Amino acid sequence: MLDYNELEGTVPSAISNCSSLVHLSAEGNGITGVIPAGIAALPKIQVINLSHNKLSGYLATSFFCNGSVYPPSLQIVQLGFNAFAEILHPQSSRCFSSLRVLDIQHNQIHGDFPFFLTDNSALSSLDLSGNLFSGTIPSSIGNLLRLEQLRIGNNSFEGNIPASLSSLSSLITLDLSGNNLSGKIPENLTVLPKLVNFNVSNNKLEGQIPVKLGYHFNDPSDFSGNQGLCGEPLNRKCERTGNGKNRLIMFIAVSASGGLLLASCCCFYIYALLRWRRKLKEKAAGEKKHSPARVSSRTSGSRGSGNNAGPKLVMFNNRITVAETIEATREFDEENVLSRTRHGVLFKACYSDGMLLSICRLPDRSLDENTFRKEAESLGRVKHRNLTVLRGYYAGPPDLRLLAYDYMPNGNLATLLQEASHQDGGHVLNWPMRHLVALGIARGLAFLHAASIIHGDVKPQNVLFDADFEAHLSDFGLDKLTVATPAEPSSSTSIGTIGYVAPEATLTGEATRQSDIYSFGIVLLELLTGKKSLMFSQDEDIVKWVKRQLQRGQISELLEPGLLELDPESSEWEEFLLGVKVGLLCTAPDPLDRPTMTDTVFMLEGCRVDQISLS
Ligand SMILES: *[C@@H]1O[C@H](CO)[C@@H](O)[C@H](O)[C@H]1NC(C)=O
Ligand SMILES: *[C@@H]1O[C@H](CO)[C@@H](O)[C@H](O)[C@H]1NC(C)=O
Ligand SMILES: *[C@@H]1O[C@H](CO)[C@@H](O)[C@H](O)[C@H]1NC(C)=O
């Protein structure tokens, strides 16, 4: 703590050697210059407070997000009242994944709303006020579900106030004052339950202030300075327009204590609702006669009664019938089989409109329908760019149990590695690509572990590639959807596949986070060396082999043909060796010695200083 002293000069770059620094605070001094990039590498830093100084230059990438390296622990950043001029958007929104508080008020930062922040669901307080930001407020701001304080006043934001702000149910403070915002105040904002401070003064807003909002926030200075606004609490009557009648009804509903009117309104409403439902039922019944396999579209949440229509595939987004699905897989034809997993058989489904899906057929009647639906609904909520995401499911006659996934056109890692080892044909898997694949798998698995899901069978066959060659970990979370007997005899069991199972899991028969990490380590070593873990005999395995090569100094032996062009002098070579070391750490014989997946992601991200994009 060095607050309110008379420190001057710049932040010493040696600070990046304080690897155990947790809280850096030097508020209210005369510190000048830029923040040294090395702070980005401090592994434990949680709080950085350098408000009220004279810092300048670029913010963000130069500071708390240095390339792909970022402190995973950083939670609070306070840099208000300095002279920063620009905020650089990071290459990865994950740079901010742990950030809870960002206060950069009263600088001279210009440019667009830092929209990358809207990916950060942990953010609870954002203060951008008193800068030179311009452009519109992105509607993706509605993603920040934990946001409690939003202060963006005194900038030059323009455009409408996004209605998506009404999703921010934790919001306590909303200050949009002193911008160039136009249009009406969304009626929607009335629903924010915790809102205590609200200020939209000094903008170009127009139209009527939503009645409830004006009732709740009755200080005129919250709304003043908007030429076109009218209604309470501004003492300005709104002019009659076409929907004056609606307002009259509203007025009566709100102010008249005549319960009679309200009651009769209610009666009418209920009546209308009943009629509407009846109509819907009739319609459904009519359609049922024509096509028994009607499809319904739905978004998410739990199913209602659901028994008043024919069998339907419950899709989270699309509309597909069971009949179409059976046709698209050519009645589950052998030729459409993509793979057989420990849980079921994966089919390629080509629909007549050109859509492709992967349909996983689980053993028929494997689980009663209701339990199946419940489990599938919860699995559908597990979403990450490095996982195969469940898009829909079906449980019903003729005793089918289906799961629908995105189709992954580029096969799996096992095939890819095999192709790459035949030098002339197939894809050449260069180092940047291998690194990205490793990172993708690691991120997917870290996400599963964070969601308390054990994968239980990490192996190259379960790493699938989408059209952009982004890796997606597949075949997880299905234990609860199937009964003990597997669909097809296979070498994999509930603890994984031979060659990838951790030694302790073989003994205990139980898959754990640590055994997942072991399997990941094997996959990583395979990915780096191109050696198949199954190629080894009883007393040797890939881990021992890699260690021996390292000890003998025969490192070039580790290289797989696709990587032969790596120059032992280059930085890529060092990165490769770092990757190998991460693989060895993950496969430590003692489960307690293995790093967590979060640590692993962090180490792998550090493996490459400059992220090279695939395309
Ligand atoms: C609002 O926009 C006008 C031009 O449309 C500009 O002159 C004015 O400076 C802007 N005000 C603010 C606060 O950005
Ligand atoms: C209210 O906000 C939601 C998003 O939160 C939006 O989908 C809906 O259309 C809005 N309703 C109105 C009347 O603007
Ligand atoms: C709303 O903001 C304006 C301008 O920033 C300020 O003058 C006014 O006092 C604020 N209203 C309240 C109730 O804080």
Side-chain angles (χ1 to χ4, degrees), residues 163-164 166-167 188:
S164 61
S166 58
S167 323
N188 248 346

Side-chain angles (χ1 to χ4, degrees), residues 222-506:
D222 282 335
F223 298 94
S224 61
N226 287 285
Q227 286 288 320
L229 272 189
C230 59
E232 293 303 325
L234 295 178
N235 220 343
R236 203 184 295 152
K237 286 233 165 66
C238 292
E239 273 174 40
R240 297 245 114 189
T241 52
N243 57 10
K245 205 165 137 200
N246 285 345
R247 289 203 345 265
L248 191 68
I249 291 173
M250 185 82 111
F251 177 76
I252 293 171
V254 170
S255 65
S257 53
L260 197 66
L261 185 67
L262 222 77
S264 62
C265 279
C266 277
C267 284
F268 175 73
Y269 178 71
I270 291 168
Y271 171 72
L273 208 73
L274 282 175
R275 259 180 68 136
W276 179 68
R277 266 189 58 160
R278 200 159 55 223
K279 252 193 185 158
L280 216 69
K281 260 193 187 154
E282 278 164 10
K283 212 170 145 195
E287 273 179 37
K288 208 154 91 176
K289 271 179 220 142
H290 296 128
S291 62
R294 201 179 72 87
V295 157
S296 92
S297 142
R298 52 190 299 289
T299 45
S300 65
S302 60
R303 277 172 59 92
S305 54
N307 48 9
N308 53 356
K312 45 195 173 181
L313 215 64
V314 178
M315 294 300 287
F316 300 128
N317 272 320
N318 300 305
R319 320 166 138 260
I320 306 161
T321 64
V322 175
E324 278 169 348
T325 304
I326 294 176
E327 194 191 310
T329 57
R330 293 194 279 176
E331 299 182 14
F332 301 110
D333 189 89
E334 201 59 23
E335 289 206 349
N336 280 41
V337 172
L338 291 167
S339 64
R340 292 169 205 280
T341 72
R342 60 193 159 140
H343 296 109
V345 187
L346 205 61
F347 292 89
K348 178 177 181 177
C350 320
Y351 292 85
S352 51
D353 61 354
M355 181 175 63
L356 286 173
L357 285 177
S358 292
I359 299 288
C360 183
R361 183 174 180 185
L362 300 177
D364 300 348
R365 264 190 267 202
S366 58
L367 206 61
D368 84 83
E369 286 181 26
N370 285 330
T371 324
F372 184 92
R373 284 193 194 108
K374 221 172 71 211
E375 295 297 340
E377 289 281 351
S378 84
L379 190 57
R381 285 190 285 270
V382 181
K383 290 187 184 142
H384 186 271
R385 64 185 288 193
N386 295 115
L387 297 175
T388 51
V389 174
L390 187 65
R391 297 297 174 197
Y393 60 88
Y394 174 79
D399 284 326
L400 279 175
R401 302 287 183 274
L402 303 177
L403 298 171
Y405 292 94
D406 289 332
Y407 177 66
M408 295 283 151
N410 280 318
N412 67 50
L413 181 60
T415 350
L416 199 70
L417 283 176
Q418 205 166 8
E419 278 174 21
S421 66
H422 302 301
Q423 255 172 304
D424 36 344
H427 299 276
V428 178
L429 268 173
N430 60 11
W431 163 247
M433 172 128 178
R434 282 176 206 246
H435 178 256
L436 273 181
V437 172
L439 202 51
I441 309 171
R443 284 174 174 157
L445 191 55
F447 184 85
L448 283 183
H449 285 181
S452 298
I453 299 173
I454 307 293
H455 188 290
D457 195 14
V458 179
K459 59 177 176 181
Q461 286 81 358
N462 283 337
V463 176
L464 309 181
F465 294 98
D466 66 15
D468 300 324
F469 270 100
E470 174 100 40
H472 296 254
L473 198 53
S474 72
D475 197 31
F476 56 86
L478 300 181
D479 286 336
K480 288 189 194 149
L481 283 166
T482 45
V483 280
T485 47
E488 303 282 332
S490 76
S491 58
S492 57
T493 60
S494 64
I495 53 164
T497 303
I498 297 162
Y500 301 90
V501 188
E504 80 277 2
T506 321

Side-chain angles (χ1 to χ4, degrees), residues 137-157:
I137 305 171
S139 65
S140 56
I141 198 159
N143 297 339
L144 299 173
L145 297 180
R146 304 244 179 97
L147 201 62
E148 293 174 358
Q149 310 284 339
L150 179 61
R151 293 192 171 89
I152 59 174
N154 295 315
N155 279 289
S156 296
F157 287 118

